Amino acid sequence: MPKVVIFMGSISDEDKMRPCSDLLKELGIDHVFTVSSAHRTPERTARLVEEFEADGAQVFICAAGLAAHLAGAVAAKTTKPVLGVPLAGSPFGGMDAMLATVQMPPGFPVGTLALDKVGAKNAAWLAAQILALHDDGLTQKILDAREGFKESVERAAESL
């Protein structure tokens, strides 16, 4: 049963979102990584949200560029946390996707992360933190990772 669902608006977004899936795997979090579009396949998106939620999904991560309505379309269909990753790719440098993802109507929030791969990684970390509210083992994995981050900075400082 997937605890996290990652939706991308297009298969061309895979290289930007792969780090999200990789990090969830590293943390041992069952997830699904798939394509569904708010505009091209709205019925598929709605159906998948319903099916995955019925199967126990706890967090939805949605990545899209341009008009970036995917996270909002998912938020309209679930009360589970929805995390949005705006993707750059337009002449506006991702600002259009950022605004479309962050500016949601009251009652349908989307936790909006940074653009592209940084946002993808932080979406995985935030999903893990949400799940860790009820999972001490996952909390420990997050703490261990943070200790590793600290150690890498210390090693870098010593190498100068």
Side-chain angles (χ1 to χ4, degrees):
M1 261 194 282
K3 294 284 188 195
V4 176
V5 177
I6 305 168
F7 287 129
M8 302 176 293
S10 170
I11 191 66
S12 64
D13 301 330
E14 182 181 4
D15 66 320
K16 292 177 181 176
M17 289 307 295
R18 178 59 61 185
C20 182
S21 178
D22 291 346
L23 183 52
L24 291 171
K25 281 181 195 168
E26 187 178 316
L27 292 170
I29 298 171
D30 290 331
H31 67 284
V32 172
F33 187 31
T34 191
V35 177
S36 197
S37 171
H39 300 109
R40 293 181 297 270
T41 60
E43 297 84 6
R44 171 183 165 76
T45 301
R47 177 179 51 80
L48 288 176
V49 169
E50 185 178 321
E51 290 173 1
F52 287 129
E53 190 169 346
D55 286 344
Q58 296 296 305
V59 180
F60 292 87
I61 297 172
C62 302
L66 305 173
H69 291 139
L70 183 57
V74 171
K77 297 294 182 184
T78 185
T79 59
K80 302 296 185 196
V82 176
L83 308 178
V85 180
L87 302 177
S90 74
F92 301 108
M95 185 58 72
D96 50 342
M98 178 78 72
L99 291 173
T101 305
V102 76
Q103 195 62 31
M104 296 300 301
F108 300 91
V110 170
T112 305
L113 287 298
L115 290 169
D116 298 336
K117 289 183 180 181
V118 170
K121 289 177 184 177
N122 274 337
W125 284 116
L126 186 53
Q129 287 178 258
I130 291 167
L131 295 173
L133 290 171
H134 303 286
D135 184 336
D136 292 339
L138 186 53
T139 297
Q140 190 57 55
K141 288 180 183 180
I142 294 167
L143 291 171
D144 291 346
R146 287 187 175 187
E147 187 62 29
F149 298 151
K150 176 183 162 188
E151 291 169 3
S152 70
V153 171
E154 296 289 342
R155 283 191 305 274
E158 290 171 4
S159 71
L160 291 176

